[in-house]
Amino acid sequence: MNERFKEPVLFVGDIEDDINLSMPPATGEEYIKRVILEARQCEDVVCAKIDEARLKKPTLNVKPLPECAKAPDYVSPTMEWQHCQLADFSHSRLYIAQMREEITNCNRKKKPMKDKLPDVNDQTRWIDMCTASEEKKTLYIEPTLTVILSMNQPTIEQVLEYLVEYLEEQISIQPPLGRWLYALLSALELPLNPDMCSCLRSLARTCSKMRSQLASSCANDAISLNLFICLVARYFRQLDLADP
């Protein structure tokens, strides 16, 4: 079969090697002879000679994604502890999902609690509400199931971004903020969009930075930091940030 492809399609007769290539061909047959003659003079395989000195080095500087800071030995979580936290977290997420489905199936009206929450674009009020100290406890609203169920997914994602940005400027996670972060993560739907994935990674890295600066006398303060690193890395599958 392959031999048939080697047979000439057009018959041009004998080809003389002394054809004057400087003169234009007088006939079509003579033109084809010249093409065949020129093709015979070409090498079967041609390799380009590259002058590497003239090649420019790539200007794109790709930086590796930052990882979490390694935990000091006195606050490093065990794998058994991480598995327990994942199990509890999965149970919380399942319960919230079941409640959402029940509300949808029953066609219930939106709960009035939503009217008491800040506007989704009011970053200052959300931060004040989720982080209020004892002196301003009248501003604080606990992230109860009723509150979380009254928030739609875009609001949950936006508030998470607000709180993570706020946390990056702090030196520790205060209990009110920690409860809100846990509740919002429990209600966060999968799969993550790119912005939310970046937000959660920032949360884990911020927690790891805080943890790396803890003194041995403050080891108990690492519990909440370990928890959020564990959830982001192992539940939300950012495994490059996980503690060993």
Side-chain angles (χ1 to χ4, degrees):
M1 185 67 179
N2 292 335
E3 295 298 325
R4 294 183 57 186
F5 290 109
K6 297 181 180 180
E7 296 178 1
V9 177
L10 300 175
F11 180 76
V12 294
D14 296 332
I15 301 176
E16 300 82 8
D17 293 335
D18 58 350
I19 294 178
N20 186 1
L21 298 178
S22 63
M23 299 295 292
T27 64
E29 181 180 273
E30 187 176 342
Y31 171 78
I32 294 176
K33 287 183 178 181
R34 293 180 181 222
V35 171
I36 295 174
L37 184 60
E38 291 179 356
R40 288 176 179 175
Q41 296 174 354
C42 296
E43 298 180 7
D44 293 337
V45 179
V46 179
C47 297
K49 295 181 179 180
I50 300 176
D51 184 2
E52 296 185 0
R54 300 180 62 183
L55 296 178
K56 295 182 179 180
K57 294 183 178 180
T59 57
L60 182 61
N61 185 18
V62 180
K63 296 182 179 180
L65 293 174
E67 299 179 351
C68 283
K70 184 179 179 181
D73 293 338
Y74 51 85
V75 295
S76 181
T78 65
M79 188 59 67
E80 181 182 2
W81 181 87
Q82 294 184 64
H83 287 162
C84 289
Q85 305 313 310
L86 291 173
D88 291 342
F89 185 67
S90 297
H91 179 76
S92 298
R93 285 179 59 85
L94 178 60
Y95 184 69
I96 290 177
Q98 290 173 341
M99 291 301 297
R100 286 194 186 281
E101 184 177 0
E102 181 180 338
I103 291 173
T104 301
N105 293 338
C106 294
N107 295 320
R108 295 179 181 176
K109 296 181 180 180
K110 294 181 179 179
K111 295 181 178 297
M113 174 59 69
K114 186 173 182 180
D115 299 333
K116 299 181 182 180
L117 299 178
D119 182 88
V120 66
N121 297 314
D122 194 340
Q123 180 175 2
T124 301
R125 283 198 60 199
W126 273 107
I127 291 176
D128 288 344
M129 189 190 77
C130 298
T131 63
S133 61
E134 288 297 324
E135 293 78 11
K136 298 181 179 179
K137 59 184 179 181
T138 55
L139 298 176
Y140 181 70
I141 295 180
E142 282 284 350
T144 61
L145 181 62
T146 301
V147 174
I148 295 300
L149 290 177
S150 68
M151 300 170 64
N152 58 29
Q153 200 59 205
T155 300
I156 289 172
E157 294 179 359
Q158 185 62 76
V159 175
L160 260 175
E161 290 185 3
Y162 291 157
L163 298 184
V164 171
E165 288 179 11
Y166 171 82
L167 181 62
E168 291 173 349
E169 301 174 356
Q170 309 305 307
I171 60 175
S172 64
I173 298 180
Q174 297 302 314
L177 176 58
R179 289 192 289 271
W180 265 102
L181 286 172
Y182 190 89
L184 293 172
L185 290 177
S186 298
L188 183 63
E189 295 179 356
L190 295 175
L192 300 175
N193 59 51
D195 289 340
M196 196 81 298
C197 183
S198 176
C199 176
L200 296 192
R201 292 180 66 85
S202 295
L203 170 61
R205 287 195 293 266
T206 300
C207 289
S208 73
K209 181 179 178 181
M210 292 179 177
R211 183 180 63 181
S212 66
Q213 298 171 350
L214 287 176
S216 57
S217 59
C218 302
N220 288 337
D221 295 340
I223 296 177
S224 59
L225 301 174
N226 286 339
L227 173 61
F228 290 121
I229 295 171
C230 172
L231 297 183
V232 171
R234 299 196 180 277
Y235 190 90
F236 292 101
R237 311 302 295 172
Q238 306 302 307
L239 294 176
D240 60 306
L241 304 179
D243 287 313

